[in-house]
Amino acid sequence: MAQRSRVALRLLGPATMNTSNSAFSRWRVAGLIVFVAASCGDAGDDSSAPDNPSCVEPVCTAFSALEGLDPGGLARRIGDEFRATGYRVVADVNGASWLLWRSHTGPDDHAGTAHVDRFDADGVMVASSTIAADQPIDILLHASGHLTGWRNGCGPQRDGVCFATEAADGAHIETPWPAEARTVTSYTLNDDGEVTGTVNDDRRVRVLNGAAPAADGLYAVINVGANFIARLDDDLSADWSRPLFPRVTIPGIGPGSPLEDILRAIDLGKQAVTDPVAIDGGVVVAAAVAKGTIAAINLHYGLDLALPEVPTCADVLVVRISDSGERTYWVVPTAACERLPKLTVVDDHAVVASVVSVEKTPSPNDTAQYDVALSIVDMTGSTTLSTAFGGEEDEWVEAVAPCGQGLVCVAGVLGSRSVDTGSVVSFGDGFILPVELDGTIGTVWTITSARHSTVWDLAATADGRVLFFSTTNGPITHTGDHDPTLMFNEGRLGVVTP
């Protein structure tokens, strides 16, 4: 059994990197984890407390001070099934929320049952949406109050998108967005990530990777052989679509190629795209992309974006798209290789949180750890800033969201330990960390439990609080290898004031 890892985070002295319009500094956060007692059960039992009238058997039906939450946070249990998987929290202007999640009745229930549940500002569940029956993989909340969910792999050839919308009056509307045959032009790269030419091939696929509400519709990040941004009207018909960046490919690499060549080709062609974030007059998208993609953008659009020195090491790319489709690009050069980016926008600053690998004092099967990096683009002054933070073991980012004037909150898991084969071998704590737009780090807030805890998603409220979905008392790699009943966890919906 893996041991609990109580993490002390600490500050490092800054270091700078001279790049065009950017500064790079690296910190480790200071502070000790604080553990508090609960007023409503414990991490494994949310049974009611006699002095808490909002807590009713068998689960707390409103937010309360559950065990394992640092001061300033409240939460409630989500479901009482064997395992909960959370996908999206969205909040309205009044602090009420919708949660897309799945319940799993036992260790063999891998698919689970989809739920789209509404909670008031106090955490009391007040409704469920009919779009859950459509098995959505994600949802968004429109200003009008209606929900849209979607899933991929739809249509006769299972290559399109299906939308499910619940209007404010409860009407349920299903809208298909079928795939279309098209010719896709790809830029070919050599082993150094340099553009060598182009090739054309025929594709028929449409995958929706993320969406954000627009004034009378939505913005959609789609892959149709290459990554595009599309503007859909209120009837979910496409008004326009624009390429985000060209597709790149490495010729001569196939299933029979040596593994190291395949892995290098994957790194050379990396294009990890975030969900879009709507802003006044348009939308912002970010991605972790390697040298070849940036070189293709420069060639395709006549730009001069900075190229990474290492062809397989991705930098952060930020794209602002106006409501009519015009695009502006920024690259944030960093000393690290970015992966798994998450995006939010605060006060005209695009903030991208990503995971970076950092070398550590080596031990058998353990030569690196993961830290969290922030890339910040001032979209009015076109300046960029990059920072990173971490503790003695891994910090893994899962979500980022605004959390007050001039603040962004980063969330995920800290203090767990992974090894070079990819296994997580010690339990970690869920965390939420506020950061100012100049990179100044605030006080880390944690959620702990007897086993593994992770904060999976965040949603800002109008009053500066942050809603979160987390799992606690969960497994890590190989926990259930010999006993699948150990794969349980406990879902939490909560709110914290940074």
Side-chain angles (χ1 to χ4, degrees):
M1 175 66 69
Q3 300 298 309
R4 288 285 301 124
S5 173
R6 297 197 177 190
V7 180
L9 302 178
R10 56 181 180 275
L11 212 61
L12 290 184
T16 61
M17 178 181 68
N18 295 321
T19 61
S20 175
N21 288 330
S22 75
F24 180 86
S25 55
R26 176 175 176 77
W27 297 302
R28 294 194 185 275
V29 186
L32 295 175
I33 301 298
V34 179
F35 297 89
V36 295
S39 62
C40 181
D42 58 29
D45 179 10
D46 287 334
S47 58
S48 62
D51 59 350
N52 188 351
S54 66
C55 191
V56 180
E57 299 272 8
V59 297
C60 294
T61 57
F63 295 142
S64 62
L66 300 184
E67 184 177 1
L69 302 180
D70 272 1
L74 303 171
R76 56 157 291 158
R77 178 81 178 265
I78 295 297
D80 57 3
E81 291 86 352
F82 177 77
R83 187 172 74 251
T85 306
Y87 295 94
R88 183 69 66 192
V89 181
V90 293
D92 66 19
V93 294
N94 299 314
S97 62
W98 286 97
L99 173 66
L100 169 62
W101 68 288
R102 284 182 176 272
S103 60
H104 305 264
T105 57
D108 297 325
D109 182 11
H110 302 295
T113 301
H115 305 265
V116 182
D117 295 332
R118 180 172 173 79
F119 301 85
D120 68 16
D122 295 322
V124 177
M125 181 179 165
V126 295
S128 293
S129 173
T130 58
I131 69 174
D134 289 76
Q135 304 295 315
I137 61 170
D138 209 343
I139 59 173
L140 63 83
L141 179 65
H142 299 266
S144 64
H146 73 271
L147 285 172
T148 296
W150 64 88
R151 70 184 189 276
N152 293 308
C154 295
Q157 300 185 50
R158 302 182 65 84
D159 55 7
V161 179
C162 290
F163 291 105
T165 301
E166 182 175 282
D169 62 1
H172 186 163
I173 304 170
E174 298 181 13
T175 307
W177 193 15
E180 299 173 351
R182 65 175 63 218
T183 299
V184 177
T185 298
S186 302
Y187 284 86
T188 57
L189 307 178
N190 63 21
D191 201 48
D192 292 323
E194 298 168 335
V195 175
T196 58
T198 61
V199 295
N200 295 327
D201 59 328
D202 296 329
R203 295 292 180 106
R204 180 187 169 89
V205 67
R206 189 190 307 280
V207 176
L208 178 57
N209 290 323
D216 56 351
L218 59 84
Y219 299 102
V221 173
I222 55 174
N223 191 304
V224 288
N227 286 293
F228 276 65
I229 181 78
R231 173 70 157 84
L232 277 62
D233 294 329
D234 56 0
D235 62 355
L236 298 179
S237 60
D239 182 23
W240 53 255
S241 67
R242 303 286 188 274
L244 286 172
F245 30 77
R247 186 174 184 268
V248 296
T249 186
I250 294 81
I253 300 297
S257 299
L259 178 59
E260 58 270 23
D261 292 346
I262 294 174
L263 295 176
R264 183 174 179 83
I266 291 172
D267 287 337
L268 286 168
K270 181 178 294 181
Q271 295 181 347
V273 188
T274 68
D275 291 331
V277 176
I279 59 174
D280 289 341
V283 63
V284 180
V285 182
V289 295
K291 175 183 174 181
T293 295
I294 302 174
I297 292 172
N298 286 342
L299 182 62
H300 194 83
Y301 297 111
L303 301 177
D304 189 27
L305 301 173
L307 300 177
E309 293 184 7
V310 180
T312 56
C313 187
D315 276 347
V316 167
L317 174 74
V318 173
V319 191
R320 182 180 64 202
I321 307 99
S322 71
D323 197 51
S324 57
E326 289 81 16
R327 286 146 293 172
T328 305
Y329 293 82
W330 293 270
V331 166
V332 185
T334 71
C337 302
E338 314 287 339
R339 66 181 77 186
L340 302 174
K342 309 289 182 181
L343 169 72
T344 192
V345 177
V346 179
D347 298 341
D348 291 320
H349 289 70
V351 182
V352 183
S354 57
V355 176
V356 294
S357 179
V358 180
E359 292 183 0
K360 60 185 287 187
T361 302
S363 60
N365 194 26
D366 192 5
T367 60
Q369 67 184 51
Y370 294 108
D371 288 350
V372 176
L374 288 185
S375 297
I376 303 173
V377 176
D378 180 349
M379 295 185 293
T380 59
S382 294
T383 58
T384 66
L385 171 73
S386 182
T387 71
F389 62 88
E392 294 303 320
E393 293 295 348
D394 293 345
E395 281 66 53
W396 199 268
V397 62
E398 297 290 350
V400 60
C403 57
Q405 186 67 34
L407 285 177
V408 60
C409 277
V410 182
V413 58
L414 61 81
S416 61
R417 175 173 168 252
S418 63
V419 292
D420 294 347
T421 52
S423 295
V424 177
V425 297
S426 69
F427 297 128
D429 300 322
F431 80 94
I432 299 174
L433 177 70
V435 183
E436 297 180 24
L437 294 179
D438 64 358
T440 302
I441 292 174
T443 301
V444 65
W445 180 91
T446 63
I447 178 170
T448 64
S449 64
R451 302 198 304 170
H452 198 59
S453 302
T454 304
V455 176
W456 294 102
D457 198 26
L458 299 176
T461 63
D463 59 3
R465 300 185 305 162
V466 178
L467 290 160
F468 65 87
F469 177 83
S470 70
T471 53
T472 61
N473 202 20
I476 53 177
T477 313
H478 304 306
T479 296
D481 283 357
H482 304 292
D483 184 358
T485 65
L486 297 176
M487 295 297 292
F488 64 87
N489 71 12
E490 296 161 0
R492 297 282 188 269
L493 177 68
V495 64
V496 62
T497 302

